[in-house]
Amino acid sequence: MDLETAIIAFGFGWGAWILYRIHQRRSSKEDPSAAIIKKPADEQAEMPRVGTPASITFNQIKALQANNFTPDKNWSQEEAALILDAVKYLRAVCRSISSEDDGEPPLEIQNALLKFILTKQDIRDYVRKWGEDRRAQGLGEYADDEPLLQENGQYERVKTEAQKYFTENP
């Protein structure tokens, strides 16, 4: 193979590689620069598993379904109770900052706040203890009340996060 043929073969190889990289960049709809710049993968925030798997009760399943959840049979009693307590807590926070009494906040806001509560360990632990204390005081497991919340650091963080979703109408 002479030099001229080697240069032409190299040119075709290099051109094919450039076209492949362009295709990679264009096919990445989320981030077009991902094929050029390698970014560290964002860690997906999630709630750590607690309790004995597959110990969720029938009453918890019904309560979760009443709150627009599709419960998984592999959830534990503790996880289901934590989710129900977090929903009650975030609704109480939203009620305290809302200027109007228009019921529950939209599901998108509830989902965002629930994710915030369940992925922050100190808030998650506080809400779990708050729910356990409520049940120990004799309130029904899924009492339909409007609790008054203690204004502490966790409350302020959830309130600050919730205020991002509410806008004042002048």
Side-chain angles (χ1 to χ4, degrees):
M1 180 157 87
D2 60 2
L3 182 61
E4 190 175 299
T5 307
I7 291 174
I8 291 173
F10 174 79
F12 277 118
W14 183 71
W17 181 76
I18 293 294
L19 290 174
Y20 173 74
R21 297 289 289 175
I22 290 171
H23 173 71
Q24 269 188 324
R25 192 172 353 145
R26 288 184 179 167
S27 65
S28 176
K29 297 201 187 283
E30 292 178 15
D31 187 7
S33 67
I36 299 172
I37 303 169
K38 300 293 183 196
K39 296 179 182 176
D42 293 332
E43 291 184 25
Q44 183 71 1
E46 58 183 48
M47 179 181 93
R49 302 299 304 258
V50 294
T52 306
S55 62
I56 188 171
T57 66
F58 179 75
N59 290 338
Q60 287 176 323
I61 290 172
K62 289 299 178 191
L64 286 164
Q65 288 172 341
N67 284 293
N68 300 316
F69 284 92
T70 305
D72 186 344
K73 300 258 186 212
N74 291 323
W75 287 357
S76 68
Q77 288 181 356
E78 295 84 357
E79 290 167 339
L82 176 58
I83 291 169
L84 291 167
D85 292 338
V87 169
K88 181 166 286 295
Y89 190 85
L90 72 86
R91 287 178 180 166
V93 169
C94 289
R95 194 172 32 256
S96 71
I97 64 171
S98 180
S99 59
E100 300 174 7
D101 186 28
D102 41 328
E104 298 172 358
L107 282 178
E108 295 82 19
I109 294 174
Q110 290 185 51
N111 288 340
L113 291 174
L114 182 64
K115 180 180 178 183
F116 179 77
I117 290 171
L118 295 178
T119 57
K120 306 294 184 202
Q121 183 172 350
D122 64 320
I123 299 173
R124 182 179 60 244
D125 292 343
Y126 175 77
V127 170
R128 183 173 52 210
K129 184 176 180 333
W130 174 80
E132 289 170 357
D133 291 346
R134 284 174 45 83
R135 286 185 287 283
Q137 292 173 358
L139 291 170
E141 194 165 330
Y142 313 108
D144 193 24
D145 63 335
E146 296 182 4
L148 294 175
L149 303 177
Q150 177 184 3
E151 295 188 18
N152 56 18
Q154 289 83 5
Y155 171 83
E156 289 300 323
R157 287 175 58 203
V158 174
K159 180 180 172 184
T160 302
E161 184 69 19
Q163 286 174 335
K164 294 177 184 176
Y165 300 102
F166 290 94
T167 58
E168 291 294 323
N169 294 327

